[in-house]
Amino acid sequence: MRKTFALLLLFMMICSAGFSQYRKSVSILGDSYSTFEHYLQPDTNAVWYFPQPLNKNDVTSVGQTWWYKFIQESGYRLCVNNSFSGSTICHTGYQKADYSDRSFVTRMDNLGCPDIILIFGGTNDSWAGAPIGEYQYADWTKQDLYSFRPAMAYMLEHIRYRYPNVEVYFLLNCDLKAEINESVKTICAHYQVPCLELKGIDKQGGHPSVKGMQQIDEQLKVFLAGRQ
């Protein structure tokens, strides 16, 4: 009897230690704002941020990126960062090119098994002048996904079913077209996906600087803390 009790107690202690050490994992679905060389999955995704910067920007370390800072400072762990520089949420890219090989819609199935998903997109849809389309919450065709609103809705619905019981948040860049902002907020509200509207982010070459990365990190932490 004593031996059985001792084994049971040992088992409970091991389980308790395992749970206390568990760290939630975070996956990112993003564009250039969330890239850094050799920190993407797959590693063939296009990159904007490098240790030796190719662009006019002072971010030179992965530790300066918003997502790395957030994960490290919040005690989480990185699951997958599937970000692709220049990518749009919908299938339409710059000069109306077919971006179905890199769109958020195409990449959203490859985020691993996270506890939290952070989606940071819409910037290139705005900059590229992608078709806005109509609000559509069902019966999507592939052609529908070449417009922003249908693609945005399709993405959120699919992610909700593909990753059940996972926390999903959308980060909305500042300085985008009003119709993109309105569309993101409307569609996020429809799917009950919390949307962080970033404010006053410092940028160099259209992309967050070291200061801007810090601002994103800080605004995200405040936003999530307010939802506890």
Side-chain angles (χ1 to χ4, degrees):
M1 183 68 180
R2 289 181 178 177
K3 184 177 181 180
T4 301
F5 178 77
L7 288 173
L8 179 61
L9 181 61
L10 178 61
F11 176 76
M12 292 175 64
M13 290 173 64
I14 292 173
C15 290
S16 176
F19 282 119
S20 65
Q21 295 174 8
Y22 178 76
R23 292 174 180 264
K24 284 187 175 182
S25 63
V26 178
S27 286
I28 299 114
L29 181 61
D31 51 32
S32 59
Y33 279 38
S34 306
T35 63
F36 200 87
E37 187 179 28
H38 301 317
Y39 282 83
L40 305 180
Q41 292 181 354
D43 196 45
T44 52
N45 284 3
V47 179
W48 201 87
Y49 288 100
F50 296 86
Q52 299 296 326
L54 303 179
N55 306 290
K56 293 182 179 180
N57 195 287
D58 60 1
V59 174
T60 58
S61 166
V62 70
Q64 297 171 320
T65 62
W66 71 268
W67 53 270
Y68 194 98
K69 292 174 69 64
F70 170 74
I71 290 172
Q72 183 180 54
E73 294 168 5
S74 301
Y76 297 134
R77 60 186 178 86
L78 177 64
C79 181
V80 170
N81 182 353
N82 192 335
S83 297
F84 196 118
S85 181
S87 62
T88 45
I89 289 176
C90 71
H91 288 335
T92 302
Y94 290 90
Q95 286 80 50
K96 308 304 179 184
D98 189 329
Y99 272 25
S100 59
D101 63 334
R102 71 199 72 177
S103 69
F104 281 53
V105 167
T106 296
R107 293 181 289 115
M108 65 184 174
D109 281 329
N110 300 315
L111 298 176
C113 298
D115 298 293
I116 299 170
I117 294 174
L118 302 176
I119 306 171
F120 195 170
T123 298
N124 289 300
D125 299 82
S126 180
W127 290 355
I132 292 297
E134 302 297 327
Y135 290 110
Q136 182 179 348
Y137 299 108
D139 303 322
W140 299 274
T141 66
K142 183 176 181 179
Q143 189 58 41
D144 293 329
L145 303 181
Y146 283 86
S147 295
F148 181 74
R149 285 172 177 165
M152 175 80 185
Y154 177 79
M155 176 182 68
L156 292 189
E157 172 149 318
H158 184 84
I159 282 178
R160 279 301 196 188
Y161 282 104
R162 175 68 177 81
Y163 305 94
N165 300 318
V166 171
E167 299 174 48
V168 181
Y169 302 96
F170 193 97
L171 283 70
L172 177 60
N173 194 11
C174 55
D175 308 317
L176 302 184
K177 293 179 179 178
E179 55 189 356
I180 292 288
N181 295 334
E182 176 195 348
S183 300
V184 167
K185 290 185 285 186
T186 298
I187 296 168
C188 281
H190 179 86
Y191 288 105
Q192 298 182 323
V193 171
C195 177
L196 166 60
E197 294 183 67
L198 297 169
K199 306 291 185 184
I201 302 304
D202 186 70
K203 300 174 184 178
Q204 296 172 346
H207 291 68
S209 61
V210 170
K211 179 181 177 180
M213 292 291 190
Q214 178 69 35
Q215 291 171 319
I216 296 171
D217 171 43
E218 292 173 350
Q219 291 182 34
L220 178 57
K221 287 187 292 188
V222 169
F223 178 75
L224 294 182
R227 304 191 62 81
Q228 301 299 320

